[in-house]
Amino acid sequence: MSSAWLLPEHIADVLPHEARRIEELRRILLDAARGYGYELVMPPLLEHLESLLSGTGRALDLRTFKLVDQLSGRTLGVRADTTPQVARIDAHLLNRAGLTRLCYCGPVLHTLPAGPDSTREPLQFGAEIYGHAGLEADLEVHELALECLGRARVESLVMDLADARFVQGALVGVTLSPVQGDALRAALASKDQAELEALTADLPAMNREALRLLPALFGGDEVLEIARARLPNNTLITAALDDVQWLATHLRRDYPSLRLGFDLADLSGYAYYSGTRFAIYSAGGTDALVRGGRYDNVGAVFGRRRAAVGFSLDLKSVVEHVRFDGRRAAIRAPWSEDTALRAAVRRLREMGEAVVCVLPGHEHEADEFECDRELVAVNGQWVICAR
């Protein structure tokens, strides 16, 4: 019989040392988003399943926990990604005619972990722009993502640019079943050349050659040159190449220390992406810290197709790369029934100070706060002294 206190696999408590660092990071990211004019929304943790999954593809369905609502008898889902919820809020609750900038931060739940060391309960932060189809919105989202990581002091960043239209353009004229499409995208995402060759064996030569070339289009500026020379010359691919090049030019100008590359077969994440995509890594890292891009069709299932672009990240993953400890300076105070002491403690807390009262018998115990000052009695007055 298993112990009652054991948690499910890939589910863990967040203890004080890590929790304070995550909370510090959460505040940094929300402040960064607010500085760009993003409004905070707080969608519910669960919704009717069709609302959570409509238009998102099979991958999100497989990652979503389902349960039956005892009030209505309908199937509910625990969100595995917040973007569909924010699209619903934009489409139905806000319903603004112009631009809308929204951000969020809350837990999501996955049926399976993304990797052997991944949590099934990420703490997802994201920011999204609705209502602008131009690349200016894509660039703003890139800038905010970099700003967030910069404020968190995550250094030596690497950004890969991609676009969903490269695969769409390589499949022009080809009709695939949902199962075939999922298998093909999985092979491209994992760069499984053998599987890709098997899946494309019966496709027309132009499509087959383009799809088999995509996994090799990973690297520097030479990638775009090869793509222009060897991929089909159709409107989807040409527009994707032009847009990726425009973004790269602006990012290099504004972020000269950013290492920028291209991965034209990058399909990681969810199926709702429709245009430019990006991923940000720490130097030497294999798992993206941030993923984002354009998903203009995500609101269509809610009756309002709006241009949309955004990004998300998992605070639990990003916090592993930050340098701050999260400790806050505090004042140590004795516990006493002395009314002057108790009044002094209240005044300090009202001023925003953290005051840790040492309860009787615990005077020599360590705590989670960095008590660099102490409240002591001097000539009948309670004053703050350095420790």
Side-chain angles (χ1 to χ4, degrees):
M1 182 176 179
S2 62
S3 299
W5 51 268
L6 291 178
L7 294 175
E9 292 183 72
H10 296 275
I11 298 290
D13 294 305
V14 180
L15 300 182
H17 172 75
E18 193 72 359
R20 72 167 183 254
R21 298 173 71 236
I22 290 174
E23 174 60 13
E24 183 76 10
L25 178 60
R26 185 189 70 87
R27 295 183 186 192
I28 287 171
L29 301 184
L30 288 174
D31 284 346
R34 183 170 59 181
Y36 277 65
Y38 287 72
E39 300 172 272
L40 179 65
V41 292
M42 298 179 179
L45 187 58
L46 51 86
E47 290 194 34
H48 294 127
L49 187 62
E50 58 270 26
S51 177
L52 280 179
L53 298 182
S54 296
T56 61
R58 179 172 170 77
L60 192 57
D61 184 13
L62 293 174
R63 302 190 81 176
T64 301
F65 276 96
K66 288 97 172 174
L67 64 155
V68 175
D69 183 4
Q70 295 191 31
L71 292 179
S72 67
R74 295 177 63 180
T75 302
L76 304 180
V78 181
R79 66 175 177 225
D81 180 47
T82 313
T83 290
Q85 296 182 294
V86 179
R88 174 183 55 75
I89 289 172
D90 173 70
H92 281 298
L93 300 182
L94 297 178
N95 197 28
R96 295 170 180 167
L99 201 70
T100 301
R101 292 180 172 93
L102 301 175
C103 65
Y104 56 85
C105 188
V108 296
L109 193 63
H110 295 162
T111 54
L112 294 172
D117 299 320
S118 300
T119 178
R120 289 196 288 165
E121 190 187 16
L123 182 56
Q124 190 181 56
F125 167 84
E128 308 182 4
I129 302 178
Y130 291 87
H132 186 75
L135 288 174
E136 299 86 357
D138 300 64
L139 183 61
E140 180 178 302
V141 163
H142 294 173
E143 291 172 341
L144 177 55
L146 292 169
E147 174 86 7
C148 286
L149 295 178
R151 289 198 188 190
R153 289 182 277 172
V154 183
E155 299 177 349
S156 302
L157 298 178
V158 179
M159 179 186 282
D160 283 343
L161 296 177
D163 198 300
R165 290 170 294 179
F166 289 121
V167 176
Q168 296 167 11
L171 286 170
V172 166
V174 173
T175 301
L176 299 176
S177 70
V179 173
Q180 289 174 315
D182 288 343
L184 182 61
R185 289 176 175 83
L188 285 167
S190 62
K191 294 181 169 51
D192 188 337
Q193 199 67 43
E195 179 69 6
L196 192 58
E197 290 182 8
L199 292 170
T200 58
D202 296 329
L203 297 184
M206 183 177 67
N207 306 98
R208 181 174 64 246
E209 292 170 7
L211 290 166
R212 291 179 179 180
L213 175 63
L214 282 176
L217 296 179
F218 174 79
D221 289 345
E222 73 282 356
V223 166
L224 301 187
E225 296 174 7
I226 296 171
R228 288 192 187 276
R230 297 183 56 186
L231 288 179
N233 185 21
N234 58 45
T235 55
L236 285 171
I237 289 176
T238 299
L241 286 168
D242 290 344
D243 288 355
V244 166
Q245 183 65 71
W246 187 92
L247 290 168
T249 299
H250 285 74
L251 287 166
R252 282 177 173 149
R253 181 195 65 193
D254 296 334
Y255 302 91
S257 64
L258 177 67
R259 288 174 52 193
L260 195 62
F262 307 92
D263 185 359
L264 304 197
D266 182 13
L267 293 174
S268 301
Y270 298 116
Y272 48 63
Y273 287 107
S274 60
T276 63
R277 303 179 51 152
F278 70 98
I280 305 176
Y281 302 80
S282 62
T286 57
D287 295 325
L289 299 179
V290 178
R291 285 196 178 275
R294 181 163 286 279
Y295 30 82
D296 289 343
N297 299 317
V298 73
V301 295
F302 303 113
R304 194 172 188 224
R305 185 184 183 278
R306 287 249 282 172
V309 59
F311 73 89
S312 66
L313 57 83
D314 173 21
L315 275 77
K316 293 180 180 178
S317 296
V318 173
V319 80
E320 296 176 6
H321 299 266
V322 304
R323 296 188 175 185
F324 54 76
D325 181 70
R327 282 183 182 269
R328 296 276 180 157
I331 300 169
R332 182 184 172 97
W335 190 93
S336 170
E337 294 186 35
D338 181 85
T339 55
L341 170 62
R342 299 175 75 81
V345 169
R346 285 196 300 273
R347 283 196 302 272
L348 288 168
R349 287 173 176 162
E350 288 170 358
M351 294 167 58
E353 294 281 5
V355 182
V356 179
C357 286
V358 180
L359 300 182
H362 299 271
E363 288 82 4
H364 302 292
E365 294 181 9
D367 56 57
E368 282 287 313
F369 289 84
E370 190 69 41
C371 291
D372 60 346
R373 292 156 292 162
E374 190 166 11
L375 199 57
V376 297
V378 177
N379 298 324
Q381 300 291 324
W382 289 98
V383 298
I384 301 171
C385 298
R387 291 191 69 195

